[in-house]
């Protein structure tokens, strides 16, 4: 199946209200798949054996294109992007005239002592770092001493940077409150997530309570945030669904980022999941492929991946969402009446 996001950009009948926001809030970089640790719950299978990484000069070029989109925020994740901290510092220094703000996701292994943490985070802030996303939970703990997290969070707070801590766990796992001091967690933005059974995490045993029977009630993040990978592929998010080639928007090694964004804006599928969610798509999927009811998911991202990798389901959904008639598109966005008329749904 062809990548579902490829639409006829020359077709003027696709109404503008179907597009995701003209404003792409953030374009980030999965700078590397290399990670200095190998957590059992890593859904991207990152680790010390991975070699994929960006050419720093290409990132600088792309940051200029990102600025040209009117986007003011970029960021770096991995793997462990700060395993290449000298490259990240060089990139931000070269791109400093653009005035962009950045986030960095990290396991904080660099922060073995407070002075090292202050030094690196201070340099990053001077070059535009606005927020740090810290990953830590029971799966990181065997590799990362809690002092590293304490040092990094302390340095960020001293420097006035926003910090968000991401912790993923099963029902049976110890919570983050048992791993870090209370004074460090106080006032911290903590995001607790479920274990996604992909990559190495597919080998973890999930209890019945770990699965979410109401996963389809969720929405895709309504913000327009894209992610660029070392091979040049551009994905519509940073979630596990990105492992599906059918979600690829394009490749920055072959075309301009602005053209890829234009293609993204012409995708009724993305507009739909960001404004209407997945519940009606789940019903449609169950009609087309009854076995869908037997599938289990922990969140909407896994279901999105399931949809786009099932040709029959995707063809049925696209036949409805790809309508170019403005009246039909209005129905899709306002009442979804076309789904019922097409026989794709049963209440």
């Amino acid at each position: 199946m062809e990548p579902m996001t490829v639409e006829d950009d020359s077709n003027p009948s696709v109404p503008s209200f179907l597009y995701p926001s003209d404003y792409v809030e953030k374009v980030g970089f999965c700078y590397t798949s290399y990670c200095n640790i190998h957590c059992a719950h890593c859904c991207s299978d990152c680790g010390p054996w991975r070699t994929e990484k960006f050419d720093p000069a290409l990132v600088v070029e792309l940051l200029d294109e990102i600025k040209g989109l009117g986007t003011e925020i970029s960021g770096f994740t991995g793997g462990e992007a700060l395993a290449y901290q000298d490259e990240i510092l060089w990139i931000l220094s070269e791109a400093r005239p653009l005035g962009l703000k950045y986030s960095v996701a990290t396991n904080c292994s660099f922060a073995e002592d407070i002075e090292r943490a202050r030094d690196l985070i201070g340099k990053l802030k001077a070059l535009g770092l606005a927020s740090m996303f810290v990953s830590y939970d029971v799966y990181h703990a065997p590799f990362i001493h809690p002092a590293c997290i304490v040092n990094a969070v302390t340095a960020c707070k001293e420097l006035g940077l926003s910090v968000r801590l991401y912790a993923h766990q099963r029902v049976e796992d110890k919570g983050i409150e048992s791993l870090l001091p209370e004074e460090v967690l106080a006032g911290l933005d903590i995001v607790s997530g479920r274990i996604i059974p992909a990559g190495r995490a597919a080998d973890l045993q999930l209890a019945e309570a770990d699965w979410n029977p109401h996963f389809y009630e969720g929405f895709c993040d309504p913000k327009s945030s894209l992610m660029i990978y070392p091979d040049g592929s551009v994905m519509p998010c940073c979630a596990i669904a990105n492992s599906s080639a059918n979600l690829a928007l394009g490749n920055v090694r072959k075309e301009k980022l602005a053209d890829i964004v234009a293609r993204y804006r012409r995708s009724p599928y993305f507009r739909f999941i960001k404004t209407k969610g997945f519940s009606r798509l789940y019903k449609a999927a169950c009609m087309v492929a009854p076995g869908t009811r037997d599938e289990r998911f922990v969140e909407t991202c896994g279901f999105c991946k399931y949809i786009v990798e099932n040709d029959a389901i995707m063809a049925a959904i696209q036949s409805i969402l790809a309508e170019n008639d403005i009246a039909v598109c209005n129905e899709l966005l306002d009442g979804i009446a076309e789904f019922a008329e097409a026989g794709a749904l049963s209440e």
Side-chain angles (χ1 to χ4, degrees):
M1 183 176 72
E2 291 297 317
M4 66 179 172
T5 55
V6 177
E7 302 290 342
D8 181 3
D9 291 347
S10 65
N11 189 342
S13 64
V14 180
S16 61
F17 61 77
L18 255 182
Y19 303 167
S21 169
D22 289 354
Y23 175 64
V24 177
E25 182 176 25
K26 181 177 182 179
V27 181
F29 297 88
C30 181
Y31 192 74
T32 180
S33 294
Y34 169 84
C35 188
N36 54 337
I37 62 177
H38 52 283
C39 301
H41 73 329
C42 183
C43 61
S44 300
D45 200 25
C46 297
W49 56 87
R50 299 291 292 269
T51 59
E52 304 95 317
K53 185 182 74 66
F54 263 103
D55 173 359
L58 175 59
V59 175
V60 174
E61 293 177 14
L62 291 171
L63 286 172
D64 188 61
E65 292 190 43
I66 290 170
K67 180 69 174 182
L69 297 172
T71 300
E72 298 294 336
I73 305 174
S74 186
F76 299 87
T77 185
E80 176 57 29
L82 290 181
Y84 300 97
Q85 57 187 253
D86 290 341
E87 293 184 10
I88 300 297
L89 288 169
W90 180 83
I91 290 168
L92 300 191
S93 178
E94 290 294 305
R96 191 172 187 177
L98 298 175
L100 294 171
K101 294 297 182 183
Y102 303 92
S103 65
V104 172
T106 177
N107 59 31
C108 297
S109 54
F110 68 89
E112 294 177 340
D113 62 69
I114 188 63
E115 292 307 321
R116 288 189 63 184
R118 288 168 175 155
D119 179 64
L120 177 57
I121 297 173
K123 290 176 179 177
L124 290 168
K125 181 186 178 183
L127 295 172
L129 181 68
S131 56
M132 182 165 283
F133 301 150
V134 174
S135 295
Y136 196 69
D137 44 45
V138 69
Y139 298 99
H140 288 84
F143 307 99
I144 306 295
H145 194 282
C148 293
I149 309 300
V150 173
N151 292 334
V153 170
T154 299
C156 285
K157 288 181 176 180
E158 291 176 350
L159 292 164
L161 292 176
S162 169
V163 186
R164 179 176 295 167
L165 191 151
Y166 288 89
H168 291 81
Q169 62 191 65
R170 297 174 297 178
V171 171
E172 68 181 59
D173 295 328
K174 292 181 179 179
I176 191 65
E177 66 281 352
S178 69
L179 302 174
L180 294 173
E182 182 178 348
E183 59 269 23
V184 174
L185 297 175
L188 205 59
D189 182 10
I190 301 175
V191 178
S192 297
R194 295 171 180 261
I195 296 296
I196 301 173
R200 287 196 296 280
D203 294 329
L204 293 175
Q205 285 291 115
L206 298 185
E208 191 63 33
D210 289 310
W211 300 98
N212 181 6
H214 303 291
F215 66 88
Y216 53 82
E217 295 177 356
F219 284 72
C220 185
D221 187 344
K223 298 176 183 176
S224 291
S225 300
L226 308 182
M227 184 68 70
I228 310 177
Y229 287 78
D231 65 356
S233 60
V234 181
M235 295 294 190
C237 61
C238 63
I240 187 57
N242 276 347
S243 61
S244 173
N246 286 342
L247 271 181
L249 300 169
N251 193 298
V252 293
R253 297 181 183 273
K254 300 177 181 179
E255 56 187 324
K256 290 295 185 181
L257 184 58
D259 294 332
I260 295 173
V261 170
R263 185 176 302 121
Y264 165 70
R265 291 177 58 240
R266 291 186 179 276
S267 169
Y269 177 81
F270 289 121
R271 181 62 170 175
F272 192 90
I273 63 177
K274 287 176 178 292
T275 58
K276 295 298 180 182
F278 286 91
S279 61
R280 289 180 173 86
L281 296 187
Y282 176 64
K283 293 177 182 179
C286 290
M287 289 290 294
V288 176
T292 298
R293 297 185 185 277
D294 299 323
E295 298 289 336
R296 296 197 296 178
F297 304 94
V298 298
E299 32 64 83
T300 55
C301 300
F303 178 58
C304 180
K305 183 175 186 291
Y306 172 80
I307 288 178
V308 302
E309 291 185 344
N310 188 305
D311 290 358
I313 294 175
M314 204 61 231
I317 290 175
Q318 285 199 91
S319 69
I320 299 170
L321 294 185
E323 279 287 350
N324 290 330
D325 180 83
I326 291 180
V328 173
C329 290
N330 268 316
E331 289 178 345
L332 282 170
L333 290 176
D334 296 335
I336 326 298
E338 183 66 12
F339 267 107
E341 293 171 7
L345 291 179
S346 63
E347 293 299 327

